[in-house]
Every structure is written in structure tokens, then in C-alpha cells.
Amino acid sequence: MELRESLGLHVDVKTSEDGKSFILEQQPTTEFRYTELYIAKLSSTGDGIGVDKLEGGTSEIIVVPYSIPGDLVKVKIYKRLEHYSLADLEAVLSGGHDRDDSLVRCKYFTKCAGCQLQMLPYEEQLRHKREVIVRAYKNFCKVSDGVIPEIGDTIGSPLQYGYRTKLTPHFDVPRNGHLPTVTPIGFTQKGRSFVIDIEECPIGTPAINEAYKKERIRVRDNIYSYKRGATLLLRESLEMDETTNETKKSVCIDSKDTVTEYVDRYRFKYPAGDFFQCNSSVLPRVTEYVNSQLKLRLSNDEYKPLPAPKYLVDAYCGSGLFSITCNESVEEVIGVEISPKSVACATSNAQDNNITNAEFVLGDAAVIFGKIRTPPNETSMILDPPRKGCDNNFLNQLLDYLPRRIVYVSCNVHTQARDIGYILKDPRGLKYHVNSIRGFDFFPQTHHVESVAVLTLQD
């Protein structure tokens, strides 16, 4: 859809079931073709898009990684799909207005699939990510004009490098048993399925990179013990010295290890293999913003003032991040999870932080809110689903419950826009007003953007 909308061409695009990617029927080719073209648009995946004019008046849409609008590039087309082709960037013949290659800090940039935007000034990255949200709501929300407010500016990360507290490098073991002289340990190459050897990742924290060096040595020293490739886990953990109030950093390499993380004054512990945001520098900005949205008054009318909802239901509560950091904004918090392990983890974190107004309950997917007894008209609900978003079963239960306020936090703005559209178009959700939508940048130098949408049920 982005290709069609941005370049004025008719392309049939489908969304994958996880809502993460766009898929078209593939028509791969083994024939390479070299060409030069200008980049017209930057896609939501951080790839440049250009149109190559062919003989006979036809044209071909080319997707070019590591390029930005205004670039004149030389590319090698290596795969043709039904409506567009994939290419490798061979050279930037002349850079677009916003390109600044002096900003690039990784020698594997243009090879590693991890980062897409290192050549783009950070303010431009934030502007692009706002535009990604704008296009997502235009293409996937599908509601009447004026229903979706102007998208707010994307809130940036205090750290643009050295921020990732988790890395998962990979390595492969050849099936024929013939190992290379040096086994590549790192990340996949852009557009390919094989691993390229990368000894350091600039967006990883210093502690993570130091542990990564040791893990690379360990794997290579024991490479003959592996029957297949594997993914390594590196997760930073913090411990506070109660005497000096200084933090000590360590790195967990086992998914069952316990990680300690601090968000403002709150301490969280969770298994290293579980989900938790891996940019601790921006996380306080997100929790502070969510807190502020929960406190919004329902009405400032001097004759009929209505305070903010006094109860909070935290769906998809995980280890209790929002339940705990937002507990002071409400009288009572109920965190809901379908994972017993997560409920136990969140309960323990609440106890460790001396939170007395939070309870965590195990929900059944079929009746996720079956144990919720708070009055909907006095309840706010936080949604923080995985990338695939909320399924219709969950959304229908939400619409039956009708909380007074919804704060939807998403790591995939496309599925968020789809879900918000589902809520707003359902007869039960027609009275919801969208207060605001804005992005948060958890992953500078990459195409990823988180989005927070706030809805309030009107009288």
C-alpha cells in the first residue's frame, strides 16, 4: 500500500498475519541487472523506494536499502517480485539533501540488517517516524476524516547509540559438517538469510559489547560441540549498591537468569528471556507520558467537573511495568495476563517496590476481563500487546466492557491503527474520542517506532 500511495502506482498489497510486514507473491529471479535511479520515498521499513524507467514506456519499482529521498544511486537488482524488485545498494552517486555519511558509526552499515538510518540526522529520523505513523493511520485505520487528530511529534531517545540493553547475535553451523576457518558470529545480511561476522554493535551498551567479545571467544572455542546454529542472548542487568547508591552492571547470557532493571525509582526483576523494553534511556519518558494521560480530566467544565478515572486495568501487563510506574495516578490497579509466570513476576515486583494498591490476576483468553469488577465508567485501560496487535476476540471483550479511557501502547503502529479503526467503527465504540497519538523512539538508527494512542469515551 505504501508503494502505491507514495508513487501513485496501483499495487495490491496484503498484510501478514502478525501485522509486521507486507507480502506480495514472489517471482524471484537469478538474473542481476544494474541501473541508476533517484530515490523518491522512504518506506516504513526504512528502505528507499525509486522508479526505474524502462524501454517501451514501462517502469519498475525498486526497493533500495540504506538510501533516502533525493539520493541518486547505482543498484544491483537481485530479485523481482510481482509488483516491485529488490536491489542491493552499489554506490551513492550523489546524496540527497538530508544524507550525512559522517554520522555513520558502524563499519557494517549497508551490510548488516539491523540499522537502516545511520546516515540520517536524528531530527530527520524523528520526522520520518512521525510520517510513518501518519501513513499507517491513513492506510489502516480507515475512519472518516477528522476522527484521527494531528499526529504529535515523535519523542526522541536521550541516547542514539549505546542504548540497547539486549542483543541476540546468531551463528550457523554448515550442514555438511565442514566448518569455516572462522565461524561468522553476528547478524544477518540485509536481504539474505546468512550471518555476517560482526564483532561489535554500536547501538549496544558498552557492557553488552564487552560481554559479546567474551561470548564470541567461548562459541569459537567450543564450535565443534554444536550440532546446529544458535542464537546468543546478551542482556544487561543493574544492581544498586545501597551504600554508595551507585549501579553495577552485569550481563546475563542464560534466558533463565534474573535481570534487574530500574525505571526511575522503581526496580523490576524478570527472567532474561522474557520481554522487557531494551532502551532504558527513553523508558522513563514513556511511563511519564502514559501517567500524564491517565490523569487527564474527563471534563473541565466548571459546572460539571469530572476527574480522571480512578481505576486502572493494565492488559498485557507482563512483569508489571505500567501497573507499577502508574500506580500513583489511580486508587487501584489490576494487571491482567494469560501467563502465570508473568502474573507471579509482576506480583513480586509490586511487593519489592512496596506497591499496595496493585493486584495481578490470571486471565483466560476467552474471558480476559472476567475477574475485573471495577466500574467501566471510572476505569482506564492500558493496552500493550505484542507486534501482532489485539485479536478480534480481545477487542470485542474490550468493547463489551467499554472502559472510560484507553491508552494503547504499541510496538507496531500498523496493527495499532488497524485496532483503533476496529474500535471506532464498531457501534459499541462510536462514542470514543481520540485525544492524541504520538510516537516514541526506542530504537534510534532503525526504522522502528513505538506509538501511544489515547481514547476517551464521551458522554
Side-chain angles (χ1 to χ4, degrees):
M1 186 173 292
E2 278 197 47
L3 300 177
R4 180 187 67 207
E5 296 289 342
S6 63
L7 298 176
L9 299 174
H10 296 286
V11 181
D12 294 324
V13 182
K14 298 179 180 179
T15 308
S16 60
E17 290 184 359
D18 63 3
K20 180 178 179 180
S21 57
F22 303 101
I23 44 179
L24 294 166
E25 183 180 349
Q26 297 192 3
Q27 295 177 339
T29 179
T30 56
E31 297 179 1
F32 296 138
R33 183 171 73 83
Y34 291 85
T35 189
E36 298 176 8
L37 70 153
Y38 280 99
I39 299 302
K41 197 76 174 179
L42 194 58
S43 75
S44 64
T45 57
D47 296 324
I49 301 173
V51 177
D52 189 26
K53 303 296 184 181
L54 304 176
E55 294 181 3
T58 60
S59 60
E60 184 177 10
I61 299 176
I62 311 294
V63 177
V64 185
Y66 315 110
S67 64
I68 62 172
D71 283 351
L72 174 61
V73 295
K74 179 181 179 181
V75 303
K76 180 177 73 173
I77 300 170
Y78 66 87
K79 181 180 287 188
R80 288 186 177 85
L81 308 179
E82 185 178 358
H83 295 291
Y84 65 95
S85 295
L86 304 178
D88 289 328
L89 176 65
E90 293 288 298
V92 177
L93 304 178
S94 65
H97 178 268
D98 295 324
R99 175 178 282 275
D100 184 352
D101 289 325
S102 70
L103 298 173
V104 176
R105 294 194 190 180
C106 180
K107 64 183 179 181
Y108 299 104
F109 186 67
T110 73
K111 295 295 183 185
C112 173
C115 292
Q116 298 79 40
L117 305 175
Q118 289 191 22
M119 72 306 215
L120 200 61
Y122 191 52
E123 288 304 314
E124 293 302 321
Q125 292 186 32
L126 296 179
R127 273 191 276 271
H128 165 66
K129 293 182 180 189
R130 177 187 177 276
E131 183 61 24
V132 168
I133 300 174
V134 170
R135 295 202 301 258
Y137 272 85
K138 176 183 177 182
N139 295 332
F140 291 94
C141 193
K142 300 185 184 303
V143 293
S144 302
D145 292 343
V147 173
I148 301 300
E150 181 178 359
I151 305 300
D153 292 337
T154 299
I155 303 300
S157 170
L159 296 177
Q160 288 95 56
Y161 283 93
Y163 62 84
R164 278 201 71 125
T165 56
K166 176 187 176 184
L167 285 181
T168 52
H170 326 288
F171 65 92
D172 294 323
V173 175
R175 294 179 181 179
N176 59 15
H178 298 293
L179 296 174
T181 304
V182 177
T183 301
I185 304 173
F187 305 95
T188 55
Q189 182 169 331
K190 177 67 176 180
R192 309 298 195 276
S193 60
F194 56 81
V195 174
I196 55 177
D197 193 52
I198 297 177
E199 69 273 12
E200 183 180 33
C201 178
I203 64 174
T205 67
I208 287 288
N209 276 299
E210 191 60 36
Y212 180 37
K213 294 176 184 177
K214 298 176 181 177
E215 277 295 274
R216 284 166 57 84
I217 294 173
R218 181 187 66 82
V219 169
R220 285 180 173 152
D221 285 348
N222 297 277
I223 192 63
Y224 290 99
S225 66
Y226 292 95
K227 296 182 179 179
R228 59 179 65 88
T231 296
L232 306 176
L233 172 65
L234 300 157
R235 189 142 211 175
E236 187 173 282
S237 181
L238 299 177
E239 285 294 344
M240 182 76 73
D241 188 317
E242 296 182 357
T243 304
T244 63
N245 285 330
E246 294 181 351
T247 56
K248 299 181 294 181
K249 297 180 179 179
S250 60
V251 175
C252 300
I253 60 173
D254 190 313
S255 63
K256 297 179 182 178
D257 289 343
T258 299
V259 172
T260 302
E261 178 81 56
Y262 287 86
V263 182
D264 285 332
R265 67 181 187 274
Y266 298 105
R267 182 176 67 182
F268 295 87
K269 293 187 176 182
Y270 56 92
D274 283 11
F275 174 80
F276 200 90
Q277 292 288 1
C278 57
N279 181 347
S280 56
S281 74
V282 76
L283 200 47
R285 294 184 176 183
V286 179
T287 56
E288 179 182 348
Y289 179 78
V290 171
N291 245 320
S292 71
Q293 301 309 296
L294 293 174
K295 294 176 183 177
L296 289 177
R297 297 178 67 88
L298 296 173
S299 169
N300 291 316
D301 190 318
E302 61 178 314
Y303 299 105
K304 190 182 178 182
L306 291 175
K310 59 184 179 180
Y311 303 105
L312 172 62
V313 173
D314 182 9
Y316 307 94
C317 71
S319 55
L321 172 65
F322 289 113
S323 298
I324 290 169
T325 58
C326 297
N327 81 94
E328 294 181 353
S329 298
V330 294
E331 294 181 9
E332 182 182 350
V333 181
I334 302 174
V336 183
E337 257 291 350
I338 61 173
S339 163
K341 186 173 68 170
S342 294
V343 170
C345 185
T347 301
S348 177
N349 284 327
Q351 293 171 349
D352 287 348
N353 287 283
N354 298 314
I355 306 299
T356 59
N357 66 335
E359 176 189 6
F360 299 91
V361 298
L362 187 64
D364 185 315
V367 283
I368 193 73
F369 305 126
K371 297 180 181 179
I372 305 302
R373 297 290 181 263
T374 62
N377 201 44
E378 297 182 86
T379 300
S380 291
M381 185 172 294
I382 294 176
L383 311 181
D384 187 13
R387 289 193 64 84
K388 66 181 181 180
C390 305
D391 61 26
N392 290 351
N393 174 48
F394 177 91
L395 291 174
N396 284 323
Q397 293 180 68
L398 172 73
L399 286 163
D400 285 337
Y401 181 76
L402 284 181
R404 190 61 183 263
R405 175 164 294 144
I406 298 171
V407 180
Y408 189 145
V409 183
S410 175
C411 60
N412 184 345
V413 65
H414 301 94
T415 55
Q416 182 192 59
R418 177 202 67 198
D419 293 346
I420 296 296
Y422 188 97
I423 292 171
L424 297 176
K425 289 180 289 186
D426 189 282
R428 294 165 292 179
L430 290 177
K431 290 187 178 181
Y432 274 112
H433 167 73
V434 184
N435 300 84
S436 61
I437 303 169
R438 76 180 323 140
F440 287 83
D441 190 17
F442 275 85
F443 299 100
Q445 319 310 329
T446 80
H447 70 271
H448 297 287
V449 61
E450 303 262 335
S451 177
V452 179
V454 182
L455 291 76
T456 301
L457 192 67
Q458 303 299 299
D459 288 329

